[in-house]
Amino acid sequence: MSARLIMKLRVAEARFITDDTLLLRLVHPSRPQLPAWTAGAHVDLVLPDGKVRQYSLCGDPAERGSYTIAVKREEAGRGGSAWIQESLVEGALAHVSAPRNNFALAETASHHLLVAGGIGVTPILAMARSLAAAGASFRVHYCARSAPTAPLLEELRDICGERLSCWFSEDGRRFTAAAIEAPRDEEHLYACGPLGLIDDLTAHALSLGWSPEQIHAEKFQALRDEDFIPEDFEVELSSTGQRLHVPASSTLLAVLQAHGVPMRTSCETGICGSCICDYSAGDVIHRDAVLQLAERSHRVVPCVSRARGTLTLAL
Amino acid sequence: MSTLDTQTRTAATPEHIAAFDHPVGKIARETPGGALGWRGTLLHIHIAPAASFEMEELTEAQCVAGRGIVGDRYYEGTGSYSKRPDVREVTLIEQEALDALARNDPPLQEGPITLLPVDHRRNLTVKGVPLNHLVGRRFRVGEVVFRGGRLNFPCKYLEELLGLPVFLPLYNRSGLNAGIESGGVIRPGDTIELLD
């Protein structure tokens, strides 16, 4: 994964679009153009304690002068969204990375099926906008509690028109994975939202014959398995043959860094993708929320993922 | 509390190799030669609080002997390469090298590259200063005395950060890594001269 510039951007606009979601438009104080991005990309917002949070860009990739993100207040979260909503008023400065895309549209697809759950609408909105502009064939399912609590609903309606299906549970229309049918040729499925929604959707789609390559998911929360018990494993670096021991008490990333392997890191919770590396052999226990299904056969996220036995890294 | 404050507060005081203790600086110090009789100017000063953070331009900067420019990542120990001791107190690059990139000279890439002073990630952009001749030499920028320690070397990291193919075109004109012999304040417009 490549390095990304961290810029000090100014909040040009800050307004609540629902009771708990703040829309922020960020501009550079001196550069008229920001680094380019494609639909599905996110930026890292650096908090005062140096930790980072990922937010999908929900604006128009063709508009190079600003980035737009929507930040939902997560009362049970780690405090990042609360700080952002309280501190990032108009005129405030925020450290924001150049965009990265872990959730890109498939160029070869003939039809795109997009599913958004709640605040997961942010990348889906950008994707729908790009697809509509390109005249591509697509359909969007938007699931939320109710219309007034659904961020960016009006924008999505304007872009999609008849191509949008809304599922508001308070209206008695709860989305279930059963709304997804068997894939047409070169149809791709994209989902962004709560873990439960994505897991159900992925399992259902696989059972209907969708291939892992056709399923793209973005979840801004790493997998948390309370029952997971880490165990020791070995890692071998294919370039040097060096063998390292990863004790249950440490992470693969920490062991690599301790042995002088230069690694890029950012979130260290399995969601940003900074430290992704390739592996050539081994039984990986994937615990990240960033790799697509099709990538898991050859890529690993060393900040959270582990292995059984010996893992051979292409480093 | 800003991000900058926290990042710098948690960093350890950086380790630098003194310019004339560096293996190449030591050899060059004992080798006569180099351009004489030039007189250059400091055009821009830039610092960044930590690795990957965009550079910020200063109208004056405090230089501290043996450590760097106050507020910069290599002063704070928060740079990409801070954990590998080297001559990194201050880095300089020639405006003439940036001008050559802008006219695609030599034509090593698709076309001209606009590498702005805010983007090249060296601290000082200078004009009329033969930086490749200053390894093993003492020179002054305004009131501050510098020691040239080694030639700067382009890195792939910069290419990744900028999304610009600057690695090859910067080769051999990537500037100078210097140490600070005696500190003080520098400002754009300051005169730069060879001492010995």
Side-chain angles (χ1 to χ4, degrees):
Chain A
M1 278 284 164
S2 61
R4 288 183 297 164
L5 192 65
I6 298 167
M7 302 167 287
K8 200 188 274 182
L9 301 186
R10 184 166 50 79
V11 178
E13 185 183 349
R15 71 184 156 88
F16 279 90
I17 51 173
T18 68
D19 286 349
D20 59 7
T21 302
L22 180 69
L23 188 90
L24 292 170
R25 198 165 60 80
L26 305 158
V27 299
H28 196 285
S30 58
R31 294 180 202 241
Q33 283 207 336
L34 291 166
W37 58 284
T38 52
H42 70 269
V43 295
D44 290 354
L45 204 145
V46 187
L47 302 176
D49 60 5
K51 299 263 170 53
V52 297
R53 295 289 183 274
Q54 278 80 25
Y55 292 100
S56 294
L57 295 173
C58 58
D60 183 353
E63 199 274 285
R64 294 284 307 276
S66 66
Y67 292 153
T68 305
I69 60 173
V71 180
K72 183 185 178 199
R73 192 177 183 108
E74 302 287 356
E75 296 296 350
R78 295 168 288 167
S81 63
W83 179 85
I84 289 168
Q85 291 202 352
E86 283 155 20
S87 310
L88 296 187
V89 296
E90 281 177 25
L93 295 170
H95 281 115
V96 179
S97 75
R100 167 178 293 162
N101 201 342
N102 295 330
F103 190 45
L105 288 164
E107 288 177 8
T108 55
S110 57
H111 181 77
H112 305 262
L113 183 59
L114 314 178
V115 180
I119 192 63
V121 70
T122 49
I124 300 295
L125 177 65
M127 291 166 129
R129 188 183 281 111
S130 286
L131 291 168
S137 167
F138 72 100
R139 172 145 207 94
V140 180
H141 294 282
Y142 187 8
C143 331
R145 196 150 46 83
S146 64
T149 62
L152 303 166
L153 176 60
E154 284 314 306
E155 289 85 344
L156 197 58
R157 274 192 174 133
D158 286 347
I159 290 164
C160 300
E162 294 292 305
R163 293 171 287 199
L164 175 65
S165 302
C166 290
W167 303 80
F168 299 132
S169 54
E170 284 188 359
D171 300 344
R173 242 171 89 79
R174 183 178 290 279
F175 179 83
T176 67
I180 303 302
E181 296 171 359
R184 311 180 217 170
D185 285 346
E186 280 313 307
E187 181 171 15
H188 281 247
L189 172 65
Y190 310 84
C192 185
L195 285 179
L197 172 75
I198 289 174
D199 290 346
D200 289 352
L201 204 55
T202 304
H204 183 67
L206 288 170
S207 75
L208 287 176
W210 292 75
S211 74
E213 287 79 13
Q214 287 171 286
I215 304 171
H216 312 265
E218 177 115 304
K219 29 197 170 183
F220 281 174
Q221 185 190 340
L223 308 176
R224 297 243 169 71
D225 179 357
E226 300 288 327
D227 300 328
F228 182 77
I229 299 166
E231 291 180 10
D232 293 14
F233 63 101
E234 308 298 318
V235 60
E236 184 174 318
L237 309 184
S238 61
S239 61
T240 60
Q242 192 178 9
R243 284 182 69 90
L244 306 171
H245 177 71
V246 184
S249 58
S250 186
T251 66
L252 173 55
L253 176 67
V255 167
L256 291 171
Q257 286 179 317
H259 288 83
V261 180
M263 301 290 295
R264 299 212 185 287
T265 64
S266 180
C267 75
E268 299 195 20
T269 55
I271 51 183
C272 77
S274 295
C275 62
I276 289 174
C277 41
D278 289 353
Y279 68 94
S280 53
D283 183 8
V284 173
I285 307 166
H286 292 284
R287 305 187 66 240
D288 66 282
V290 58
L291 290 176
Q292 301 299 337
L293 278 180
E295 292 178 294
R296 296 186 181 246
S297 62
H298 60 282
R299 307 186 84 186
V300 59
V301 182
C303 63
V304 291
S305 294
R306 308 186 65 85
R308 294 178 192 88
T310 299
L311 172 67
T312 307
L313 288 179
L315 281 177
Chain B
M1 183 174 63
S2 74
T3 307
L4 186 154
D5 294 337
T6 315
Q7 298 240 338
T8 55
R9 200 176 302 134
T10 52
T13 304
E15 269 185 68
H16 289 293
I17 293 176
F20 295 164
D21 288 345
H22 190 281
V24 303
K26 192 182 280 180
I27 294 169
R29 184 72 187 147
E30 290 156 10
T31 309
L36 303 169
W38 51 268
R39 188 182 159 93
T41 310
L42 175 59
L43 298 181
H44 304 281
I45 308 168
H46 286 91
I47 61 168
S52 302
F53 279 66
E54 197 171 26
M55 302 290 281
E56 294 172 30
E57 182 153 22
L58 300 181
T59 53
E60 63 172 43
Q62 182 77 40
C63 298
V64 177
R67 184 145 175 201
I69 300 176
V70 174
D72 186 55
R73 67 251 195 240
Y74 289 106
Y75 173 91
E76 306 287 4
T78 53
S80 301
Y81 304 104
S82 287
K83 284 174 187 163
R84 291 183 234 169
D86 199 333
V87 183
R88 295 191 199 278
E89 289 171 46
V90 179
T91 49
L92 301 88
I93 195 166
E94 296 177 13
Q95 177 61 46
E96 292 82 353
L98 306 180
D99 293 343
L101 263 58
R103 60 175 189 261
N104 195 23
D105 180 11
L108 296 171
Q109 58 286 317
E110 303 261 309
I113 294 175
T114 304
L115 184 58
L116 298 173
V118 68
D119 285 332
H120 57 56
R121 303 194 76 75
R122 278 73 182 149
N123 298 119
L124 309 183
T125 309
V126 301
K127 189 178 175 183
V129 182
L131 292 177
N132 284 7
H133 293 222
L134 295 183
V135 178
R137 299 291 176 267
R138 297 170 65 243
F139 58 99
R140 73 169 185 93
V141 179
E143 66 183 27
V144 176
V145 177
F146 291 86
R147 293 177 170 187
R150 68 167 177 85
L151 294 178
N152 187 281
F153 191 84
C155 58
K156 288 284 182 187
Y157 171 70
L158 182 65
E159 279 201 338
E160 289 178 6
L161 270 191
L162 300 177
L164 283 175
V166 294
F167 183 79
L168 188 56
L170 277 180
Y171 213 85
N172 278 340
R173 49 185 180 186
S174 186
L176 181 73
N177 284 25
I180 300 167
E181 178 183 301
S182 66
V185 174
I186 55 171
R187 296 180 184 85
D190 278 355
T191 293
I192 306 177
E193 282 180 325
L194 182 69
L195 296 175
D196 57 63

